[in-house]
């Protein structure tokens, strides 16, 4: 195969990177990361079959990035999902100039050794940043967790935690389009208003203002919850287990309350899974990549017809990404947080 390359691939370029300084135990701090300049030669070495260099454009800033931090060797860039343009390729699936999304580095340029986690972006009439959210990993998570795992029915009662985030806001709209009763929780009044007034949730509440989560859920779901889309874990999951209906379903997408703890919190009400015959299932997006074409067929028409609202929060520049990531765990974001590396 004739390898696609760029005319300037021999040129040595600056490569700004967000580096993990040391292994993190417990709470992630800005000081655990460092923004520094490296250098790269944008040329795939001979014999590196399947590799490609990409120029990162947009990076996804989400709670799950905290989990990825635990897998990174100190001195290496933070990794996560992102949107990029191929600048040199020895991969038959991708050529120079292709727009792609997948797992990349928090840096200006990344060498991708394996393309298993990458998808070519075919629909460029939609904002590219959406492939970090609505049309990327969060969107696929929302689709799989709700439709494939929970098998929803019209009229059922659906509860979503972290409902104003990149995944939760979509699950709520999917549920409403099916005719479900939908309640979401979030960590500020601004987010509660967003859920009710812009995203179409039936009701929403600020969990930080509820001294008794069990009582709060009974207030919003007097007859119980059919489907819970789990993003938080901990005390919230414990309260939900007390309020599930018989044969309810729980899609465990994430447990953000646990990511920064040295010792995870225990769950006390698991007996309800048995007594109420509730099915709870965890899932990883990587196990459902084969459904991505089906997901696009479902979602793209709704986007183009204006039937889906998507809220993004844009952070400009790699230098601001450590604060952007740490701020997620204090609830500073409204909507899906995206870091702009380059607008080309």
């Amino acid at each position: 195969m004739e390898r696609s390359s760029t005319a300037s691939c021999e040129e040595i370029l600056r490569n700004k990177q967000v580096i993990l300084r040391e292994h993190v135990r417990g709470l992630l701090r800005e000081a655990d990361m460092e923004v520094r300049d490296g250098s790269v030669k944008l040329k795939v070495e001979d014999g590196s079959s399947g590799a490609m260099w990409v120029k990162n454009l947009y990076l996804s800033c989400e709670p799950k990035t905290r989990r990825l931090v635990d897998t990174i060797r100190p001195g290496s860039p933070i990794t996560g999902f992102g949107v990029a343009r191929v600048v040199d390729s020895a991969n038959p699936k991708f050529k120079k100039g292709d727009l792609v999304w997948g797992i990349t580095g928090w840096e200006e340029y990344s060498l991708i050794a394996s393309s298993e986690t990458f998808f070519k972006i075919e629909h460029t009439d939609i904002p590219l940043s959406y492939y970090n959210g609505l049309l990327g990993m969060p969107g696929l998570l929302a689709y799989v967790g709700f439709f494939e795992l929970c098998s929803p029915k019209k009229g059922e009662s659906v509860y979503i935690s972290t409902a104003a985030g990149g995944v939760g806001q979509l699950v709520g709209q999917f549920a409403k389009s099916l005719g479900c009763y939908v309640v979401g929780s979030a960590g500020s009044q601004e987010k509660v208003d967003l859920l009710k007034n812009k995203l179409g949730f039936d009701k929403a509440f600020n969990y930080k203002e509820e001294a008794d989560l069990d009582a709060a859920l009974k207030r919003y779901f007097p007859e119980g919850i059919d489907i819970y889309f789990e993003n938080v874990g901990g005390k919230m999951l414990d309260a939900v287990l007390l309020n599930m209906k018989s044969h309810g379903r729980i899609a465990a997408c994430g447990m953000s309350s646990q990511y920064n703890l040295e010792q995870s919190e225990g769950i006390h009400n698991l007996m309800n899974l048995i007594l109420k015959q509730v099915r709870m299932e965890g899932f990883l997006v990587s196990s459902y990549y084969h459904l991505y074409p089906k997901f696009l067929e479902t979602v793209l028409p709704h986007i183009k017809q204006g039937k889906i609202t998507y809220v993004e929060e844009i952070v400009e520049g790699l230098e601001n990404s450590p604060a952007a990531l740490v701020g997620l765990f204090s609830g500073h974001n409204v909507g899906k947080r995206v870091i702009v590396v380059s607008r080309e």
Side-chain angles (χ1 to χ4, degrees):
M1 181 193 77
E2 181 179 348
R3 182 161 63 84
S4 172
S5 61
T6 178
S8 60
C9 65
E10 296 289 351
E11 183 182 356
I12 296 177
L13 300 177
R14 183 199 71 176
N15 189 25
K16 185 181 292 184
Q17 301 173 301
V18 181
I19 301 294
L20 179 67
R21 300 182 66 177
E22 57 188 16
H23 283 299
V24 178
R25 290 181 59 84
L27 185 67
L28 180 68
R29 305 165 304 157
E30 288 184 49
D32 294 322
M33 296 168 277
E34 177 185 2
V35 180
R36 67 171 71 152
D37 286 345
S39 62
V40 291
K41 183 184 293 186
L42 300 180
K43 183 181 188 309
V44 176
E45 297 296 331
D46 292 339
S48 301
S49 177
M52 60 182 179
W53 275 101
V54 300
K55 178 181 181 180
N56 294 309
L57 307 178
Y58 300 92
L59 299 175
S60 178
C61 187
E62 58 208 359
K64 287 183 175 60
T65 305
R66 172 63 184 88
R67 290 209 327 262
L68 292 174
V69 166
D70 291 335
T71 69
I72 298 169
R73 186 178 70 254
S76 300
I78 303 295
T79 59
F81 284 88
V83 173
R85 186 180 295 279
V86 178
V87 294
D88 189 39
S89 177
N91 190 311
K93 291 171 56 179
F94 303 104
K95 66 181 187 299
K96 175 193 171 185
D98 282 349
L99 289 165
V100 295
W101 71 268
I103 296 178
T104 186
W106 279 30
E107 53 190 350
E108 291 178 290
Y109 300 96
S110 294
L111 177 62
I112 308 301
S114 172
S115 64
E116 292 180 1
T117 65
F118 271 81
F119 295 86
K120 184 177 178 181
I121 295 174
E122 304 284 0
H123 303 276
T124 57
D125 55 337
I126 290 168
L128 288 178
S129 60
Y130 278 21
Y131 287 90
N132 274 330
L134 175 54
L135 292 176
M137 181 273 291
L140 186 56
L141 277 175
Y143 175 83
V144 167
F146 186 63
F147 289 110
E148 299 291 328
L149 271 62
C150 292
S151 302
K153 302 177 184 64
K154 181 179 180 179
E156 288 192 312
S157 296
V158 177
Y159 173 51
I160 305 156
S161 55
T162 318
V167 177
Q169 60 174 298
L170 292 174
V171 177
Q173 292 179 82
F174 289 157
K176 284 304 300 177
S177 70
L178 202 62
C180 297
Y181 167 70
V182 182
V183 178
S185 60
S188 71
Q189 188 58 46
E190 180 184 8
K191 294 179 182 179
V192 168
D193 292 341
L194 173 71
L195 294 173
K196 293 190 296 185
N197 300 332
K198 188 168 184 176
L199 298 176
F201 283 56
D202 292 293
K203 294 181 181 179
F205 66 93
N206 182 350
Y207 70 90
K208 294 179 180 178
E209 296 180 351
E210 300 291 345
D212 186 338
L213 291 173
D214 176 29
L217 292 174
K218 283 181 167 56
R219 190 164 73 245
Y220 290 101
F221 298 97
E223 298 180 5
I225 300 167
D226 291 296
I227 293 173
Y228 172 46
F229 203 95
E230 162 70 303
N231 290 307
V232 174
K235 296 176 181 178
M236 181 64 79
L237 176 57
D238 244 351
V240 168
L241 289 170
L242 295 173
N243 289 277
M244 293 298 295
K245 286 184 182 179
S246 179
H247 297 285
R249 289 87 71 203
I250 300 175
C253 176
M255 296 195 176
S256 60
S257 69
Q258 308 300 296
Y259 297 161
N260 282 312
L261 301 181
E262 291 190 40
Q263 182 65 46
S264 297
E265 295 175 327
I267 302 298
H268 304 283
N269 297 319
L270 288 173
M271 181 59 75
N272 287 276
L273 294 178
I274 301 170
L275 298 177
K276 297 181 180 181
Q277 302 179 76
V278 172
R279 177 168 55 83
M280 180 174 178
E281 184 174 353
F283 65 107
L284 297 173
V285 71
S286 56
S287 296
Y288 294 91
Y289 281 153
H290 64 283
L291 293 180
Y292 188 63
K294 179 182 176 183
F295 160 70
L296 287 181
E297 289 178 8
T298 302
V299 174
L300 279 172
H302 291 287
I303 297 173
K304 293 178 179 180
Q305 294 166 20
K307 294 181 178 179
I308 290 180
T309 299
Y310 198 64
V311 180
E312 285 185 316
E313 183 185 78
I314 299 297
V315 176
E316 295 282 350
L318 272 173
E319 63 277 7
N320 295 313
S321 56
L325 177 57
V326 171
L328 290 177
F329 299 97
S330 301
H332 292 170
N333 64 303
V334 177
K336 170 62 184 173
R337 182 167 279 185
V338 175
I339 299 165
V340 178
V341 181
S342 173
R343 297 183 185 272
E344 295 193 329

